[in-house]
Amino acid sequence: MKYIGIFGGSFDPPHKGHLKISTASIKKLNLDKLLLIVTKKNPFKKKPFFSLKDRMYKLKKITKKNKKIKVAYFDGKVKSSKTIDVVNYLLKKNKNCIFFLIMGSDSLVDFHKWNKCDKLAKLCKIIVFSRKGYDNKAKKSKTFKNLSKNRVMFIKNSKIDISSSQIRKYYLK
């Protein structure tokens, strides 16, 4: 049985926080592989600041030393950017694997808005990393209350004080 982590997003831009979450996931979950899945556009956000090509390049650059991390783009193959469609695709291609869907506590707050989130939570164990200002909201969220508690796991991690939105603001100065 292989353990595969799925950490998706627009990564607009990628930063050391993404790398820290990736390496911590591999270590704490004993993952055989971690897929950093870049989407062309986050459905909950405006147009990306950096091009898909730039984001892919930067992610590959910051993760190149870790052989267990694979940067991937599935929107074209799957004809969708929805996480449920990507997970269904991966399940067909990877028999005998257990999947872990990795996200920050900020994403868990809005997880109920994701397409087929209930089915997604049945297909993958949800792994939640701490994000400053979101942990209590996540634990009180509609999603957390509705999900089976054995399907969600909170990971203790040192707070990551960097975000893609902070970096984009710097570029706009």
Side-chain angles (χ1 to χ4, degrees):
M1 192 66 66
K2 281 192 170 189
Y3 291 174
I4 299 176
I6 299 169
F7 182 18
S10 52
F11 299 100
D12 189 26
H15 53 71
K16 288 180 182 173
H18 295 129
L19 183 60
K20 279 184 178 181
I21 287 171
S22 299
T23 53
S25 297
I26 291 167
K27 189 176 180 181
K28 292 180 186 231
L29 302 168
N30 198 24
L31 298 177
D32 294 293
K33 181 171 29 174
L34 176 73
L35 297 172
L36 280 176
I37 301 175
V38 183
T39 187
K40 199 171 198 170
K41 183 193 173 299
N42 181 323
F44 301 112
K45 295 180 181 173
K46 294 177 187 156
K47 182 178 174 261
F49 189 82
F50 291 94
S51 73
L52 175 65
K53 186 178 175 182
D54 283 345
R55 291 179 280 139
M56 294 283 292
Y57 172 78
K58 288 173 182 167
L59 255 184
K60 286 177 181 176
K61 189 174 177 180
I62 66 171
T63 60
K64 70 180 175 192
K65 290 181 182 169
N66 193 320
K67 300 294 177 226
K68 288 189 174 188
I69 298 174
K70 182 176 177 353
V71 176
Y73 173 74
F74 287 110
D75 291 12
K77 279 183 194 163
V78 179
K79 307 279 188 274
S80 170
S81 62
K82 293 181 174 98
T83 305
I84 187 67
D85 296 332
V86 172
V87 167
N88 282 326
Y89 173 83
L90 290 170
L91 284 167
K92 285 178 192 164
K93 297 280 182 194
N94 298 277
K95 306 287 185 211
N96 301 319
C97 290
I98 294 174
F99 286 92
F100 297 87
L101 183 61
I102 298 155
M103 65 178 67
S105 54
D106 57 328
S107 294
L108 185 64
V109 171
D110 291 325
F111 189 66
H112 66 281
K113 296 176 184 174
W114 292 28
N115 189 276
K116 298 182 183 169
C117 62
D118 295 338
K119 184 177 182 201
L120 198 51
K122 287 178 182 141
L123 297 174
C124 305
K125 184 151 184 155
I126 310 295
I127 308 300
V128 183
F129 278 83
S130 183
R131 287 288 305 266
K132 188 178 179 181
Y134 287 96
D135 294 354
N136 287 334
K137 288 178 193 170
K139 289 177 180 169
K140 291 177 185 173
S141 71
K142 178 180 179 177
T143 303
F144 186 63
K145 288 175 183 167
N146 292 335
L147 287 176
S148 166
K149 299 303 172 251
N150 67 340
R151 300 303 304 156
V152 181
M153 181 173 141
F154 284 84
I155 300 279
K156 294 259 187 258
N157 60 294
S158 55
K159 296 278 191 281
I160 296 165
D161 249 356
I162 187 169
S163 74
S164 295
S165 21
Q166 286 172 323
I167 296 170
R168 288 191 303 271
K169 282 179 190 170
Y170 172 80
Y171 279 98
L172 292 170
K173 285 182 182 178

